[in-house]
Amino acid sequence: MMKVVEGIMSENVKNKKTVIYILLIAGIIIIALAVTTIVMFAAVDKDAVTEDSSGETSVSKLSIDDSSEYADSLFACAVTDINDSASVVKLLETMKFEDSAGEYTAQISAVDGVQVLDLNLSQKISKGDQKVFNENIGKCAQQMLALIPGIERVQWTYSIDTADASKEEAKVSIDAEGATKELGSDVRAFGESASKFQKLLSKQKNVE
């Protein structure tokens, strides 16, 4: 009888240990998921253009991801036919262009004999934020010129937030030649492979 009781007690101890191990593992998993969620939210909360509850827009420097994974994902969306509007949309979405520019519309059309990607931005930008904003969109435009070889120029138009009710608009543009001069290398060459495109991202990141 004693041996039976000892066996039962031993089994109970084992069961308790098993339960404790399970609870510990579950706790570790919950903590890991919580940390992952926090990291994901931190990653998402990197929009260059944000709007507070009062509708005021603020602009911060664009954070460039120069990882090989990101370069691969963008290069996979390179546009070979500028008449394929779906592929242009996919590239801009993969680029998360809206995080940098706010809501926008995009159209490619011939202007003075060259193909131009025209970006009409909905956000009102304060005069104090214009320099950073244009630098951010300029970097995006360099990436577009590399991955959409059919266009010669990218231009963006947006409203300026003025103290009075007057309407003031800004139109900025950069062409392949200008992008090449800024980068010190042929902007088109960066669109020849994913590894070369990653070099463009790294070059942009290093001047943040």
Side-chain angles (χ1 to χ4, degrees):
M1 177 67 73
M2 182 63 71
K3 288 183 178 179
V4 173
V5 172
E6 286 176 350
I8 293 172
M9 289 177 65
S10 176
E11 190 65 32
N12 286 338
V13 169
K14 287 181 180 178
N15 289 339
K16 285 181 180 178
K17 285 183 177 179
T18 302
V19 171
I20 290 171
Y21 286 142
I22 292 172
L23 289 174
L24 284 172
I25 292 170
I28 291 169
I29 291 172
I30 290 170
I31 291 170
L33 288 172
V35 171
T36 302
T37 302
I38 291 169
V39 171
M40 286 176 65
F41 276 114
V44 170
D45 191 24
K46 288 184 178 179
D47 293 4
V49 175
T50 55
E51 194 172 286
D52 61 22
S53 56
S54 64
E56 290 291 325
T57 299
S58 62
V59 180
S60 57
K61 281 191 175 182
L62 182 63
S63 178
I64 301 292
D65 180 357
D66 66 343
S67 66
S68 59
E69 293 80 8
Y70 184 63
D72 288 345
S73 67
L74 282 186
F75 183 74
C77 297
V79 178
T80 55
D81 180 6
I82 59 174
N83 294 313
D84 183 0
S85 56
S87 65
V88 176
V89 170
K90 184 179 179 181
L91 172 63
L92 297 186
E93 287 180 349
T94 305
M95 190 182 289
K96 298 179 181 177
F97 181 63
E98 190 167 329
D99 292 350
S100 306
E103 292 184 5
Y104 68 92
T105 59
Q107 181 180 354
I108 296 177
S109 56
V111 179
D112 297 329
V114 299
Q115 296 295 327
V116 177
L117 173 55
D118 192 6
L119 303 166
N120 195 340
L121 314 181
S122 300
Q123 290 283 2
K124 278 190 175 182
I125 304 301
S126 69
K127 290 186 177 182
D129 284 334
Q130 275 189 275
K131 184 177 184 294
V132 174
F133 184 71
N134 287 331
E135 287 174 352
N136 290 346
I137 306 303
K139 288 179 180 178
C140 294
Q142 289 173 350
Q143 296 173 23
M144 294 171 194
L145 286 165
L147 295 178
I148 316 177
I151 58 173
E152 287 295 327
R153 185 167 78 242
V154 178
Q155 65 183 29
W156 57 99
T157 307
Y158 60 91
S159 297
I160 299 172
D161 194 4
T162 57
D164 52 30
S166 62
K167 185 176 180 180
E168 194 172 338
E169 198 172 71
K171 179 173 284 189
V172 188
S173 68
I174 183 171
D175 58 15
E177 184 180 350
T180 294
K181 187 178 294 185
E182 287 182 4
L183 294 166
S185 302
D186 183 3
V187 68
R188 302 298 197 188
F190 290 114
E192 292 174 355
S193 67
S195 59
K196 288 184 178 180
F197 186 72
Q198 186 182 8
K199 289 180 181 178
L200 168 60
L201 297 176
S202 296
K203 186 181 283 281
Q204 291 180 329
K205 187 180 181 71
N206 290 334
V207 296
E208 286 181 3

